């Protein structure tokens, strides 16, 4: 099942096992059980610290547990964790086998101190780039704390469960049988949600920090570049990020990042964070900025950023790089059926709609690519475009039109999403030429209509365009002295990763130039 190169790599990793582990398989006579047994047999053959046993006492078949021999430490997978989840499997083997995690010591201690019994179930899909972070975080938590249990479930393999529990988006996490959360979550986010006092403790730490020379708000490509360029100047640099990596984390494949033929969003997001941590940068993750206070005599000449947890961060210069998010249709039923048939990530949630009828809203590159991908899973795909023609690249349009189970409707305005209270049942659209209303019976709606800048919190503070973009000049300067901006949240004409990185670098250099022209930096390196 595993090719020679992958086997050799896995064998090298398994040399790091400290304690013996067993793979306890629960199988039946299905082809998938045979496939899982083959995989587990190959893994067990790669290390003398691994034994394979058969225990068919689990209700979910095929499934398997990774147990630390002689202890209660265990991680379980229901399904065959290949694709994006193969890394989750490797990490689970290592961590159950006693290899230490690279998670922050403070976070590890928080997990160990959690009081209560937590039984987590995570539904994932093998094509979901957001799922591994959640699966790996909960697996690690179950290794660190014996009162935490976790099973990762392949939703495509257990569709009966998925339908019974109304799972229409992945990752979806249940805690003690009740819905816990949906979507990408880091270990720190999960722990913060369970540890109710964490936010207040973090706010107190932030309040005690001295003012920065440069504060970057946002941890995407623009923010990471700005932080690195600022730190290299030897000045005191901080980053406030609601989610380090930003929208890059939701991107499946990246093929236009110059000098890198192919990468994936989560991988790039991790690399950005690691690069920032190579420098002396104070990263305050999981912090949402709520108010920007311009420099004045009242603030001591410092710009202030007030956070949702009540803390305030001060700095002599600020670079705003808050990025953007997927634009919503803003029609009746969209919010009601979000994650109940209305989705925004075809790669993540597409496998849950296998054999079903779906629609894609949007005829740009993202929309057409989504329709092409979904056509391989769904029974039928209808692409709906507001304009009179598709805007995607010609090569994508040709591919789309060649697919037999795809319909294309242009000059159509989506007006409502219908459902039965539990899940989507239809979509209503208006013919913009004739004015007629039409209803499409379907089970899924994938929205791909562009981006919306994350700048609502800045309204009334600095100059924004009618679309909410931060107005900047060619140096990244905003309408406020000492405040700069970069990336998808600004008036930069093209929203691309490589452009955001360049813009973040430009803004940081311009902000540094502002600092040295106004007064000497407080902490210039020798």
């Amino acid at each position: 099942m595993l090719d020679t190169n992958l086997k050799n790599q896995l064998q090298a990793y398994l040399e790091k096992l400290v304690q013996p582990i067993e793979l306890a398989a629960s199988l039946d006579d299905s082809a998938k059980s045979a496939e899982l047994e083959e995989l587990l047999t190959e893994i067990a053959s790669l290390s003398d610290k691994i034994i394979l046993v058969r225990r068919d006492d689990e209700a979910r078949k095929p499934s398997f547990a990774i147990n630390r021999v002689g202890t209660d430490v265990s991680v379980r997978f229901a399904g065959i964790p290949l694709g994006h989840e193969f890394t989750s499997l490797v990490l689970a083997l290592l961590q159950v086998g006693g290899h230490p995690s690279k998670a922050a010591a403070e976070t590890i201690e928080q997990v160990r101190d959690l009081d209560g019994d937590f039984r987590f179930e995570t539904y994932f899909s093998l094509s979901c780039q957001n799922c591994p972070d959640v699966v790996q975080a909960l697996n690690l938590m179950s290794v660190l704390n014996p009162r935490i249990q976790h099973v990762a479930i392949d939703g495509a393999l257990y569709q009966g469960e998925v339908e019974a529990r109304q799972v229409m988006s992945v990752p979806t996490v249940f805690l003690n049988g009740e819905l816990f959360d949906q979507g990408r979550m880091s270990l720190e986010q999960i722990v913060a949600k369970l540890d109710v006092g964490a936010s207040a403790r973090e706010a107190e730490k932030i309040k005690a920090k001295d003012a920065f020379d440069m504060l970057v708000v946002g941890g995407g490509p623009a923010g990471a570049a700005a932080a690195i360029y600022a730190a290299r100047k030897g000045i005191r640099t901080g980053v406030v990020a609601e989610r380090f990596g930003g929208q890059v984390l939701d991107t499946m494949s990246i093929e236009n990042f110059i000098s890198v033929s192919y990468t994936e969003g989560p991988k790039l997001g991790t690399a950005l964070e690691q690069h920032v941590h190579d420098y002396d940068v104070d990263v305050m993750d999981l912090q949402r900025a709520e108010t920007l206070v311009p420099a004045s005599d009242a603030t001591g000449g410092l710009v202030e950023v007030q956070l949702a947890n009540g803390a305030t961060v001060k700095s002599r210069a600020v670079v705003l790089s808050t990025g953007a998010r997927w634009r919503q249709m803003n029609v009746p039923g969209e919010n009601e059926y979000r994650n109940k048939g209305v989705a925004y990530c075809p790669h993540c949630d597409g496998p849950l709609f296998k054999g079903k009828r779906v629609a894609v809203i949007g005829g740009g590159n993202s929309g057409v690519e989504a329709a092409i991908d979904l056509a391989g899973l769904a029974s039928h795909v209808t692409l709906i475009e507001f304009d009179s023609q598709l805007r995607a690249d010609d090569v994508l349009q040709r591919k789309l039109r060649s697919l037999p189970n795809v319909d294309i409707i242009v000059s159509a305005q989506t007006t409502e999403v219908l459902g039965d209270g539990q899940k989507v049942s239809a979509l209503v659209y208006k013919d913009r030429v004739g004015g007629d209303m039409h209803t499409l019976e379907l089970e899924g709606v994938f929205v791909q209509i562009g981006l919306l800048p994350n700048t609502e919190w800045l309204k009334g503070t600095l100059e924004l365009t009618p679309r909410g973009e931060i107005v900047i000049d060619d140096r990244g300067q905003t309408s406020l002295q000492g405040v700069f901006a970069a990336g998808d949240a600004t008036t930069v004409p093209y929203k691309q990763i490589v452009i955001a990185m360049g813009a973040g670098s430009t803004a940081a250099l311009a902000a540094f130039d502002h600092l040295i022209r106004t007064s000497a930096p407080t902490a210039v390196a020798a």
Side-chain angles (χ1 to χ4, degrees):
M1 173 175 286
L2 301 177
D3 63 39
T4 302
N5 287 336
L6 199 55
K7 275 187 180 181
N8 291 338
Q9 291 174 22
L10 181 56
Q11 187 170 28
Y13 278 119
L14 295 179
E15 290 176 0
K16 300 177 181 179
L17 292 176
V18 178
Q19 302 186 48
I21 61 177
E22 69 172 14
L23 306 178
S26 186
L27 308 171
D28 55 21
D29 296 329
S30 67
K32 284 295 182 181
S33 282
E35 189 178 339
L36 177 59
E37 185 173 24
E38 180 184 355
L39 173 64
L40 297 180
T41 300
E42 288 187 2
I43 292 173
S45 71
L46 299 176
S47 172
D48 57 6
K49 283 189 168 65
I50 302 176
I51 60 171
L52 174 60
V53 298
R54 180 83 177 259
R55 294 200 182 101
D56 295 336
D57 52 351
E58 286 293 322
R60 295 187 182 98
K61 296 181 178 67
S63 68
F64 69 100
I66 306 172
N67 303 318
R68 182 180 295 171
V69 175
T71 73
D72 294 331
V73 175
S74 180
V75 167
R76 177 169 288 277
F77 290 91
I80 306 171
L82 296 176
H84 284 289
E85 291 301 337
F86 186 70
T87 301
S88 302
L89 170 60
V90 175
L91 286 173
L93 291 166
L94 293 177
Q95 290 165 359
V96 173
H99 186 68
S101 166
K102 293 182 179 179
E106 183 179 0
T107 305
I108 289 174
E109 196 61 31
Q110 270 187 282
V111 174
R112 288 176 172 153
D113 289 342
L114 288 173
D115 186 23
D117 295 310
F118 306 94
R119 181 173 56 85
F120 287 101
E121 299 166 286
T122 301
Y123 289 89
F124 67 86
S125 70
L126 295 177
S127 59
C128 170
Q129 76 272 21
N130 292 324
C131 296
D133 274 9
V134 178
V135 171
Q136 292 166 22
L138 289 169
N139 281 349
L140 175 59
M141 290 173 66
S142 69
V143 170
L144 295 172
N145 188 327
R147 299 180 69 180
I148 299 174
Q149 299 176 22
H150 180 231
V151 54
I153 307 160
D154 183 354
L157 194 56
Y158 291 91
Q159 286 202 326
E161 284 189 40
V162 163
E163 293 179 3
R165 301 180 87 166
Q166 299 292 322
V167 176
M168 305 189 77
S169 175
V170 290
T172 291
V173 181
F174 288 85
L175 171 58
N176 297 334
E178 301 294 328
L179 181 65
F180 175 73
D181 212 335
Q182 294 175 300
R184 186 187 184 95
M185 291 175 283
S186 66
L187 172 64
E188 292 76 11
Q189 286 173 302
I190 296 171
V191 174
K193 190 168 182 178
L194 297 172
D195 184 355
V196 293
S199 179
R201 292 196 302 271
E202 187 63 22
E204 290 304 313
K205 290 181 182 178
I206 294 174
K207 287 178 183 177
K209 294 180 184 293
D210 293 332
F212 292 95
D213 287 315
M214 193 180 304
L215 177 68
V216 180
V217 183
I228 290 167
Y229 266 74
R232 286 175 61 86
K233 293 297 185 182
I235 61 176
R236 179 170 160 75
T237 305
V239 175
V240 168
E242 187 170 358
R243 183 178 67 151
F244 207 101
Q247 195 187 19
V248 161
L249 300 177
D250 302 325
T251 303
M252 180 62 177
S253 60
I254 300 170
E255 299 176 342
N256 58 355
F257 187 57
I258 311 306
S259 83
V260 179
S261 298
Y262 176 85
T263 188
E264 294 177 352
K267 183 178 180 180
L268 178 58
T270 298
L272 289 174
E273 187 168 11
Q274 290 174 343
H275 197 177
V276 169
H277 282 295
D278 286 344
Y279 294 91
D280 186 16
V281 177
D282 189 340
V283 178
M284 294 160 274
D285 203 1
L286 309 183
Q287 302 299 327
R288 187 176 75 251
E290 286 198 335
T291 307
L292 178 71
V293 181
S296 66
D297 291 340
T299 64
L302 300 172
V303 181
E304 295 184 355
V305 176
Q306 297 172 357
L307 307 180
N309 65 8
T312 296
V313 189
K314 300 178 180 181
S315 184
R316 297 175 57 230
V318 169
V319 175
L320 302 172
S321 56
T322 48
R325 62 188 182 277
W326 289 115
R327 186 182 297 275
Q328 293 185 254
M329 298 182 292
N330 293 321
V331 300
E334 180 179 16
N335 286 330
E336 181 182 356
Y337 292 104
R338 185 184 179 98
N339 297 327
K340 298 178 182 179
V342 175
Y344 301 85
C345 180
H347 300 292
C348 301
D349 302 331
L352 302 178
F353 293 84
K354 185 176 181 179
K356 299 179 180 180
R357 298 177 64 87
V358 301
V360 174
I361 313 300
N365 282 348
S366 296
V368 172
E369 287 174 348
I372 292 170
D373 289 343
L374 290 167
L377 296 166
S379 62
H380 191 272
V381 178
T382 302
L383 186 141
I384 297 176
E385 165 58 32
F386 183 85
D387 203 352
S388 60
Q389 60 184 4
L390 302 185
R391 294 167 286 105
D393 293 343
D394 185 61
V395 63
L396 294 174
Q397 292 193 41
R398 290 200 304 271
K399 173 64 175 176
L400 181 70
R401 296 180 193 279
S402 72
L403 301 174
N405 62 334
V406 174
D407 286 337
I408 300 171
I409 302 174
V410 296
S411 298
Q413 179 181 0
T414 304
T415 59
E416 188 175 4
V417 176
L418 303 177
D420 60 7
Q422 298 295 321
K423 58 184 179 180
V424 167
S425 62
L427 177 146
V428 180
Y429 71 90
K430 177 182 178 181
D431 183 336
R432 296 181 57 239
V433 176
D436 297 336
M437 304 297 292
H438 301 271
T439 300
L440 283 176
E441 293 186 0
L442 42 71
E443 293 152 293
V445 179
F446 289 83
V447 183
Q448 302 280 288
I449 55 174
L451 301 173
L452 192 67
N454 296 316
T455 57
E456 289 86 355
W457 64 289
L458 296 169
K459 288 182 179 178
T461 304
L462 47 65
E463 184 182 0
L464 303 175
T465 69
R467 295 182 58 199
E469 296 172 324
I470 303 170
V471 177
I472 58 172
D473 63 15
D474 57 0
R475 296 164 55 85
Q477 173 70 59
T478 72
S479 60
L480 288 179
Q481 184 78 357
V483 178
F484 300 79
D488 289 1
T490 73
T491 49
V492 63
Y494 303 109
K495 317 301 185 185
Q496 298 290 315
I497 293 170
V498 69
I499 292 173
M501 288 182 173
S505 306
T506 298
L509 292 172
F512 180 74
D513 185 63
H514 162 77
L515 290 176
I516 61 177
R517 289 174 183 276
T518 52
S519 62
T522 58
V524 175

